[in-house]
Amino acid sequence: MVTIYERKPAHERKPGLSRRELLKRGGVGALLVISGSAVISPEHAWGLETSALKPETMATLIQMARDIYPHDQVPDKYYAIAVKAHDEQAGKDPAHKDLIENGIAELDSKSGKGGYTSLGWEEQRVAALREIEDTPFFQAVRGGLVVGLYNQKEIWPIFGYEGESYSKGGYMARGFDDIEWL
């Protein structure tokens, strides 16, 4: 059974969406489906299975990742891959699991009714993140994203990065001193 949840606290969630609600949300952004222990994006054909963290937590981490390092041209699946490390670490370290789950719960409570992912505007989500930016939770997520997001070779062409140059003769032999623009 697949259930689509609105981003509300667990005690307020109602499984499924009405047709009207689904159509109303259609142009607002990507719809993530929570199914068992997975977060799925049917629109973009990718899924992420969780083992230690709740799927709702992972969906919030994906949105957080996009708000911390916003790149419109980078698909959500690469943000999902970047935050998957927190799920893996939470499976090995109960303290990390508590840090992430409690951090998401605190972020949701500070974000008002419906939690962080229900905030409609990026400015509102960024304001919520600014309130917690000095916490160990935020620093753990932000620090993991630096490596988790930007070390994915699949997205390097989006940024115009060709990768390391040593195997190709180094930068000096590959146009470093070309100053045709001068």
Side-chain angles (χ1 to χ4, degrees):
M1 177 177 142
V2 174
T3 305
I4 301 173
Y5 289 110
E6 296 178 47
R7 301 287 178 237
K8 293 182 178 179
H11 67 280
E12 293 181 14
R13 284 200 191 113
K14 291 190 266 182
L17 289 176
S18 68
R19 181 174 181 264
R20 178 171 296 192
E21 183 66 23
L22 184 62
L23 292 173
K24 189 167 55 171
R25 289 181 172 199
V28 174
L31 181 67
L32 295 179
V33 177
I34 310 276
S35 175
S37 63
V39 179
I40 302 167
S41 174
E43 181 181 351
H44 297 103
W46 63 264
L48 172 72
E49 188 168 355
T50 63
S51 58
L53 298 174
K54 294 183 267 184
E56 295 84 1
T57 299
M58 290 301 290
T60 303
L61 282 173
I62 293 167
Q63 183 62 58
M64 256 184 89
R66 180 164 284 291
D67 292 334
I68 293 171
Y69 293 109
H71 300 289
D72 292 339
Q73 68 277 26
V74 176
D76 282 344
K77 76 176 184 176
Y78 296 109
Y79 287 99
I81 292 168
V83 297
K84 177 67 173 159
H86 291 292
D87 183 54
E88 293 165 357
Q89 188 174 352
K92 299 173 190 169
D93 181 9
H96 188 75
K97 180 178 181 176
D98 290 342
L99 175 74
I100 299 298
E101 292 286 0
N102 293 338
I104 293 292
E106 180 182 345
L107 179 62
D108 281 343
S109 70
K110 288 184 176 196
S111 299
K113 184 180 177 184
Y116 177 76
T117 56
S118 71
L119 296 174
W121 298 99
E122 183 179 357
E123 293 83 20
Q124 293 173 313
R125 292 190 307 269
V126 170
L129 291 175
R130 287 195 191 281
E131 289 182 30
I132 64 162
E133 70 184 341
D134 293 328
T135 65
F137 160 68
F138 180 85
Q139 293 302 320
V141 173
R142 186 198 54 79
L145 282 172
V146 171
V147 175
L149 183 62
Y150 297 112
N151 272 359
Q152 296 180 54
K153 292 181 180 181
E154 297 83 12
I155 65 171
W156 290 352
I158 294 171
F159 301 118
Y161 179 59
E162 297 176 354
E164 58 84 25
S165 69
Y166 180 76
S167 66
K168 300 171 187 144
Y171 290 115
M172 296 302 255
R174 293 185 61 237
F176 174 76
D177 57 352
D178 288 349
I179 55 173
E180 296 172 4
W181 54 272
L182 219 176

